[in-house]
Amino acid sequence: MAILKTSLCTQNSRLNRRNVFLLKFLGLIFIVIFFCEFLLYYFVIIQCQWPKLKTMPSPRGSSPLKAMFLSDTHLLGEITGHWFDKLRREWQMERAYQSAIWLLQPDIVFILGDLFDEGKWSNSKAWENDVARFQSMFRHPPHTELIVVVGNHDIGFHYEMTVHKLRRFEGVFNVTSGKVVSRKGINFVLVNSVALEGDGCVICRAAEDQIIDVSRRLNCSRMKDHPDFVKKCVNLDLLPPSASILLQHYPLYRKSDSDCTGEDSASPEEKKVLFTEKYDVLSQDASQKLLQLVQPRLILSGHTHSACTVLHGNIPEISVPSFSWRNRNNPSFMMMSIPGQVSAQMQIQLGIFEQLLLRKNSEDYDHHQDWPHTRTYPNIT
């Protein structure tokens, strides 16, 4: 009897040790997964700090606008997206985004196009499913605003783009091409760069009209004290009198990414590839006209999935890298502290944009003829 009890105790002891080992092993696995798939994002993003402004604060005492910029999230669809790849990539983006929102508390977030990977193909049901997933992943508190720009994967390249696809995108995200968003005295101009093909298509003509209208509003907003203000700017919805920031999906024209540097720039092999106009970047003609009409102080774009900073004359353009691990191994986002006050160097002399306002009637702005071809606009000083 004693031998039987001893044997049972020994077996129970071994079983308990195995259970304890198993529980410790499972606990260790849980801790590793919890750290790598949840806490790690906080440890990395907490190192990010908002840039400190070197300029003097605004006369009104307003704080700078804290803006976060993402691009090319490319949520996978039901046609080409494998379920595990979709689950993995979307979890990574959601955790990174939610961690950044919680730690950094931005005032506004911009996503510079290609929110979806299959928006150009999606039927109504697939589109609704993709939108629901996007809204769940990129949810934000009431004090943070989310604004998006349309990209070629959202509505298709120019030859795939339709009015239906554009309207359903604009309807869901409450945004229109050629829209100006003004926050704390800063004007953000949102452009549908996919429509700047210059061939006179229905969507292209509408986009060109909107850009010209935005140009007039921006210019009139800077000449409120001019004697001819009432005559030239009657019935216009005026904006804060500051140089704008241009937001679009396609970059302005550049030959390649060969001059781009930094850890977020393209690989050496990709930098050797020459860009195709109207596919990788805007055409030279459309780029020049955008610069002359909008006259921005800064341009932000996406599309290439890699970071790059270039100068167009004295106007910088920053291409924001993709936010998706599917497109690059080191996805990132950009943080900007933007003062509402605009320096004198950023202002445009009244006499220069007054010349543009004189060409107000429809014959002078016959975009069917002028947009696809070269037109001389006032220079920026």
Side-chain angles (χ1 to χ4, degrees):
M1 190 69 178
I3 295 174
L4 180 60
K5 288 182 178 180
T6 302
S7 176
L8 290 174
C9 290
T10 302
Q11 292 177 4
N12 289 335
S13 177
R14 290 176 179 174
L15 184 61
N16 288 335
R17 284 199 297 271
R18 288 177 183 174
N19 290 338
V20 170
F21 174 79
L22 182 61
L23 289 174
K24 288 182 177 179
F25 180 71
L26 292 176
L28 178 62
I29 291 177
F30 173 79
I31 292 173
V32 170
I33 293 175
F34 183 71
F35 177 81
C36 294
E37 299 298 333
F38 190 84
L39 289 182
L40 181 62
Y41 297 94
Y42 292 94
F43 278 96
V44 172
I45 295 176
I46 200 172
Q47 302 175 56
C48 300
Q49 301 292 329
W50 289 103
K52 294 183 179 180
L53 298 175
K54 297 180 181 180
T55 57
M56 295 298 291
S58 170
R60 297 180 181 179
S62 61
S63 59
L65 182 73
K66 294 180 178 179
M68 200 165 86
F69 298 89
L70 291 67
S71 186
D72 295 271
T73 53
H74 282 272
L75 268 67
L76 295 175
E78 63 179 16
I79 300 175
T80 61
H82 187 274
W83 69 268
F84 183 77
D85 190 23
K86 186 186 301 183
L87 176 68
R88 178 66 178 153
R89 305 309 179 191
E90 292 182 6
W91 170 260
Q92 291 172 321
M93 281 194 290
E94 180 176 359
R95 291 316 322 147
Y97 178 79
Q98 293 301 327
S99 301
I101 291 294
W102 189 79
L103 289 171
L104 303 174
Q105 298 289 309
D107 298 315
I108 192 166
V109 179
F110 293 97
I111 303 182
L112 303 177
D114 279 2
L115 284 61
F116 308 103
D117 197 57
E118 299 179 6
K120 55 186 179 181
W121 300 323
S122 298
N123 57 34
S124 297
K125 183 178 180 181
W127 170 258
E128 291 174 0
N129 291 336
D130 291 347
V131 168
R133 285 173 24 240
F134 177 88
Q135 292 175 337
S136 175
M137 291 170 56
F138 293 94
R139 61 192 181 275
H140 50 89
H143 60 78
T144 298
E145 189 176 6
L146 176 64
I147 297 176
V148 303
V149 177
V150 67
N152 56 289
H153 275 267
D154 301 317
I155 60 174
F157 283 97
H158 174 261
Y159 55 86
E160 300 172 306
M161 178 177 58
T162 65
V163 174
H164 166 71
K165 294 176 186 176
L166 180 61
R167 284 179 177 172
R168 75 178 181 181
F169 183 91
E170 293 178 342
V172 167
F173 295 103
N174 191 29
V175 62
T176 57
S177 305
K179 179 179 181 179
V180 181
V181 175
S182 298
R183 299 292 182 271
K184 294 189 176 182
I186 305 158
N187 297 317
F188 297 93
V189 178
L190 282 56
V191 170
N192 177 7
S193 53
V194 185
L196 301 184
E197 187 78 5
D199 65 350
C201 74
V202 174
I203 299 176
C204 300
R205 291 198 303 269
E208 293 156 14
D209 280 339
Q210 290 160 346
I211 293 171
I212 291 171
D213 180 66
V214 166
S215 176
R216 293 187 62 243
R217 291 174 60 199
L218 289 170
N219 291 333
C220 280
S221 298
R222 300 177 189 134
M223 58 179 299
K224 292 180 181 178
D225 297 328
H226 194 274
D228 294 331
F229 171 76
V230 176
K231 178 181 176 182
K232 297 187 175 80
C233 302
V234 64
N235 298 326
L236 280 181
D237 184 15
L238 299 182
L239 301 163
S242 63
S244 61
I245 297 176
L246 177 61
L247 306 180
Q248 58 187 33
H249 183 63
Y250 284 165
L252 295 188
Y253 175 79
R254 60 177 183 259
K255 291 183 178 179
S256 67
D257 273 351
S258 58
D259 294 330
C260 305
T261 58
E263 61 180 351
D264 292 331
S265 62
S267 65
E269 294 76 18
E270 292 174 318
K271 290 181 180 181
K272 297 176 183 178
V273 179
L274 297 179
F275 286 152
T276 301
E277 293 185 50
K278 304 180 182 182
Y279 187 84
D280 299 307
V281 292
L282 288 179
S283 68
Q284 297 184 58
D285 189 54
S287 300
Q288 183 66 17
K289 291 184 173 78
L290 264 181
L291 287 172
Q292 293 170 334
L293 281 170
V294 180
Q295 300 176 340
R297 54 169 153 165
L298 173 66
I299 304 150
L300 297 174
S301 58
H303 190 55
T304 64
H305 298 175
S306 300
C308 188
T309 301
V310 294
L311 282 175
H312 303 280
N314 62 345
I315 303 173
E317 176 182 8
I318 301 174
S319 291
V320 179
S322 174
F323 191 62
S324 172
W325 271 263
R326 193 168 186 261
N327 294 329
R328 54 185 302 116
N329 292 324
N330 57 340
S332 57
F333 57 87
M334 186 171 67
M335 302 162 59
M336 296 184 69
S337 297
I338 311 173
Q341 183 180 4
V342 182
S343 65
Q345 290 81 3
M346 294 179 182
Q347 297 290 355
I348 301 171
Q349 293 180 357
L350 292 178
I352 293 175
F353 58 75
E354 181 185 358
Q355 298 173 36
L356 183 60
L357 289 172
L358 290 173
R359 313 176 80 174
K360 179 181 176 183
N361 60 65
S362 59
E363 291 182 359
D364 288 334
Y365 278 123
D366 187 0
H367 49 264
H368 299 277
Q369 299 177 10
D370 292 326
W371 183 271
H373 306 290
T374 303
R375 173 194 270 180
T376 301
Y377 291 96
N379 294 322
I380 301 175
T381 58

